[in-house]
Amino acid sequence: MTDSPVAIVTGGAQGLGAAICIELLKKGYRVCAVDIQGEKAEEFAKQQQLVYGKESITASHCDVSKESDYIRVFEETIKTFKRVDVLINNAGILLESNPRKTIDVNLMGPIYGCYTAFKYMGKSNGGNGGVVINTSSLAGFLPAAENPVYAVSKHGIIGLTRSFGLPLHFDKDGIIFACVAPHMIDTDILKSVNKTLVPDYDISKVHSHILMRPEFVAKGYMKILEDKINGSVLTVIPGEYRYIEAQKEVTELLKRNNI
């Protein structure tokens, strides 16, 4: 157990984050589940310790919009487990009424997480490399009339992942970057849809027949950990996992014009 890999999961106390933690535990990872709701994270960790052992999971409070919290979480995890191999930037919100907070949590959070991973996991800083998985959404590819700021944040995650997933960074630090872009998931985040734009819009009912279970989406993160395709974006829709290269047409356009 002392040699098993270690993962940090943000937003790890509930919903998709909790499902990811459980999948990691099943795979033999040791896990630090971090969440803005620190007490909820502690309770979740205690529940999982009953199943996977006291040495398998810890918990910590983390406000992902604060770089200092990421640094503290990494230092605590290394102190406890002696290493960090995987960071999963999963924490997110859907709050159109507060654009700044949405960007701070959904985009700045993963940015801080990636740079903290370089600091503690990067080979250029004495680390052993590893994997960082960010959480985007199909809204990272498509427009979202009801939730434009959310869409902006998730578009940004794809650009961040693909940029850090280039050889320039891997050759220096040995960290693989990838992200998951799922369709709608049956979690509490759907309840936070801003209904001031469309007062009668009930997303949980309108789309109830295609909502995915968190457990199904969480297995997509395990697929990335197995495949280790740097800069990749894995879309998850009901019944299917598929890697998407949305920049292909733009790349071909530039090549045709010798740019």
Side-chain angles (χ1 to χ4, degrees):
M1 189 70 176
T2 57
D3 293 328
S4 58
V6 175
I8 296 172
V9 181
T10 70
Q14 53 199 317
L16 176 58
I20 293 169
C21 288
I22 291 171
E23 287 298 323
L24 287 165
L25 290 166
K26 289 178 180 177
K27 295 287 186 180
Y29 281 77
R30 291 172 290 170
V31 176
C32 179
V34 300
D35 203 283
I36 188 72
Q37 299 185 52
E39 292 184 1
K40 195 167 188 176
E42 292 286 352
E43 181 60 31
F44 172 74
K46 289 179 181 178
Q47 292 174 356
Q48 301 313 312
Q49 286 172 355
L50 296 175
V51 179
Y52 299 100
K54 291 186 177 180
E55 306 299 321
S56 64
I57 182 169
T58 61
S60 182
H61 170 271
C62 181
D63 180 346
V64 297
S65 68
K66 297 178 180 179
E67 186 175 15
S68 59
D69 274 23
Y70 264 108
I71 291 172
R72 175 181 49 76
V73 165
F74 263 83
E75 291 184 346
E76 288 178 354
T77 304
I78 291 171
K79 183 177 180 180
T80 300
F81 293 132
K82 312 305 180 188
R83 58 193 287 181
V84 176
D85 303 279
V86 175
L87 168 65
I88 297 181
N89 286 312
N90 167 71
I93 60 173
L94 203 168
L95 191 62
E96 289 296 312
S97 61
N98 193 334
R100 181 176 293 277
K101 185 173 182 179
T102 297
I103 295 299
D104 283 347
V105 172
N106 290 2
L107 185 53
M108 289 307 302
I111 289 173
Y112 290 142
C114 290
Y115 278 113
T116 307
F118 279 127
K119 180 176 180 180
Y120 289 94
M121 296 164 59
K123 291 183 177 180
S124 67
N125 291 312
N128 297 314
V131 179
V132 173
I133 305 177
N134 298 316
T135 300
S136 183
S137 164
L138 287 189
F141 295 105
L142 304 170
E146 296 85 8
N147 305 292
V149 178
Y150 179 81
V152 166
S153 70
K154 295 305 183 179
H155 273 70
I157 290 297
I158 291 176
L160 178 73
T161 300
R162 286 178 165 156
S163 297
F164 278 144
L166 293 172
L168 172 69
H169 300 287
F170 182 79
D171 292 347
K172 178 183 177 184
D173 286 298
I175 299 176
I176 291 171
F177 288 86
C179 78
V180 176
H183 188 51
M184 294 177 182
I185 311 170
D186 188 10
T187 65
D188 288 342
I189 194 171
L190 291 179
K191 299 177 183 178
S192 64
V193 172
N194 183 2
K195 296 182 180 180
T196 61
L197 291 174
V198 186
D200 297 325
Y201 188 69
D202 188 339
I203 197 169
S204 64
K205 292 182 179 179
V206 172
H207 299 284
S208 60
H209 66 293
I210 55 174
L211 290 179
M212 295 182 294
R213 296 296 303 157
E215 295 78 9
F216 175 76
V217 180
K219 286 181 170 58
Y221 292 78
M222 303 307 107
K223 177 174 175 57
I224 284 180
L225 289 174
E226 292 175 3
D227 297 343
K228 292 184 170 63
I229 303 172
N230 202 16
S232 62
V233 179
L234 181 72
T235 59
V236 183
I237 62 173
E240 184 176 356
Y241 309 99
R242 179 180 295 185
Y243 289 105
I244 296 291
E245 296 183 22
Q247 81 276 24
K248 185 176 180 180
E249 290 185 24
V250 175
T251 302
E252 290 177 351
L253 176 64
L254 294 175
K255 286 182 178 179
R256 285 200 302 270
N257 290 275
N258 297 316
I259 298 173

